[in-house]
Amino acid sequence: MAIVYLEYNFKIKPLQPATDILIAELGDAGFESFVETDEGLLAYILKEEWKEGLLDDLFAMQHPDFEITWTNTEIEQQNWNAEWEKNFHPIQVGGRCMVRAPFHDPIHVEYDIVIEPKMSFGTGHHETTHMMLQHILDHKFEGKSVLDMGCGTGVLAILAMKKGATPVEAIDIDEWCVINSLENIERNDCASIQVEQGTSELLVGRKYDIILANINRNILLDDIPVYANCLNEGGALFLSGFYLQDLDAISLKCATHGLEFEKKLEKNNWVSAKYVN
């Protein structure tokens, strides 16, 4: 039985900051994947997750300074490739890492990562993924045990392993993300990465040197106590998926659980922060 998604085509004026706000809100509402366009945004949600009035109370939809209109259509999972191929261009991070699709020609970089995102989030194009990749490039990973929480395409786990991390685990709540991560892990010769479907409940009794979590503000605030308990002494927690205005709340929750803010990256009001114990 084919998995059916609803594709929402949003026309947005002005594009920013309305698009970023809408992506954050749609993510909280159950939308799984986003493609920014010249006129706005394509957003995807499982048909079975859709419910009447889903968009009615979103801040972005009600804001007097934003003009947002939309149409929607059904799209089967296997049709996603044609859509993202039209919009997916290779990116470089820090001059050292390239994230590209299988149909892109490689160039000489230290870390060449091939990602076929399908319906999963995390190609490196969104600011949060890009900044998390920057953090990984800047941090020592050799011989470190790593968790990629909310792994999406598995791109963060893949770069961590390419930098020498071992063992590496990846977890996502969404079945399709798990399947996609496994495909990308095999594609990048990182088959020893362990992928599981689930939530932070899986983490009881586990320990890591480094935890990567690019999710969203509310889930991070709920799960920071779990992450803190799972970090080995001298460990590092890298968080993203929230705005600059949320940083104080994230940092306060981390501090409450023995994690000290060390540094942050900012891009278009999105933030990725590093905490240590």
Side-chain angles (χ1 to χ4, degrees):
M1 180 178 177
I3 297 175
V4 177
Y5 280 82
L6 296 179
E7 176 191 82
Y8 278 75
N9 188 350
F10 293 96
K11 308 295 185 185
I12 304 171
K13 296 181 181 178
L15 283 174
Q16 295 298 345
T19 299
D20 284 345
I21 294 172
L22 186 59
I23 287 173
E25 291 194 289
L26 291 174
D28 287 340
F31 283 76
E32 296 181 6
S33 184
F34 308 97
V35 176
E36 294 187 44
T37 68
D38 292 339
E39 296 182 293
L41 180 71
L42 299 176
Y44 298 86
I45 186 171
L46 275 170
K47 184 178 180 181
E48 64 187 42
E49 298 295 327
W50 182 87
K51 55 183 179 292
E52 191 72 36
L54 187 67
L55 306 178
D56 291 350
D57 296 326
L58 299 186
F59 171 81
M61 303 295 291
Q62 306 294 332
H63 198 289
D65 294 336
F66 302 157
E67 181 183 334
I68 303 177
T69 59
W70 54 268
T71 57
N72 68 1
T73 187
E74 289 188 7
I75 178 171
E76 289 193 1
Q77 187 174 347
Q78 58 265 33
N79 293 334
W80 173 243
N81 285 352
E83 187 57 53
W84 71 256
E85 283 184 15
K86 291 189 296 185
N87 295 279
F88 183 30
H89 306 288
I91 65 160
Q92 289 192 55
V93 182
R96 300 172 60 198
C97 175
M98 182 178 186
V99 182
R100 62 183 177 90
F103 52 84
H104 293 137
D105 293 330
I107 64 171
H108 181 68
V109 290
E110 190 175 356
Y111 304 105
D112 180 36
I113 300 178
V114 182
I115 293 293
E116 190 169 357
K118 298 185 179 178
M119 293 302 292
S120 302
F121 176 83
T123 61
H125 289 75
H126 193 272
E127 290 88 342
T128 58
T129 311
H130 195 282
M131 288 185 293
M132 291 291 278
L133 292 169
Q134 284 182 268
H135 275 307
I136 295 173
L137 288 174
D138 293 340
H139 192 78
K140 178 178 170 58
F141 274 75
E142 186 174 355
K144 303 290 187 181
S145 56
V146 173
L147 168 67
D148 179 4
M149 192 71 195
C151 58
T153 62
V155 65
L156 302 183
I158 290 167
L159 181 57
M161 176 154 284
K162 284 181 177 288
K163 287 204 67 190
T166 182
V168 179
E169 298 176 9
I171 296 174
D172 203 289
I173 194 172
D174 183 78
E175 181 183 11
W176 184 240
C177 290
V178 170
I179 294 170
N180 191 206
S181 290
L182 288 167
E183 292 172 349
N184 289 323
I185 284 165
E186 182 177 0
R187 183 176 286 112
N188 288 275
D189 298 321
C190 294
S192 62
I193 296 174
Q194 299 297 308
V195 185
E196 297 176 87
Q197 182 179 355
T199 67
S200 60
E201 292 179 356
L202 292 174
L203 303 181
V204 176
R206 301 189 188 184
K207 290 288 185 178
Y208 306 93
D209 298 315
I210 298 170
I211 297 176
L212 310 165
N214 180 18
I215 308 179
N216 65 53
R217 174 189 182 274
N218 293 336
I219 292 177
L220 293 177
L221 287 172
D222 285 343
D223 287 352
I224 282 169
V226 180
Y227 303 154
N229 194 52
C230 289
L231 271 184
N232 289 324
E233 187 175 351
L237 173 65
F238 295 91
L239 303 177
S240 197
F242 56 93
Y243 292 110
L244 182 59
Q245 55 265 36
D246 299 319
L247 180 61
D248 286 346
I250 295 288
S251 295
L252 178 60
K253 192 64 172 277
C254 284
T256 302
H257 294 275
L259 298 172
E260 178 183 353
F261 171 82
E262 184 169 288
K263 63 182 289 189
K264 72 177 188 297
L265 299 173
E266 296 179 42
K267 193 172 184 181
N268 296 330
N269 203 41
W270 291 97
V271 175
S272 181
K274 175 184 178 182
Y275 300 88
V276 295
N277 63 7

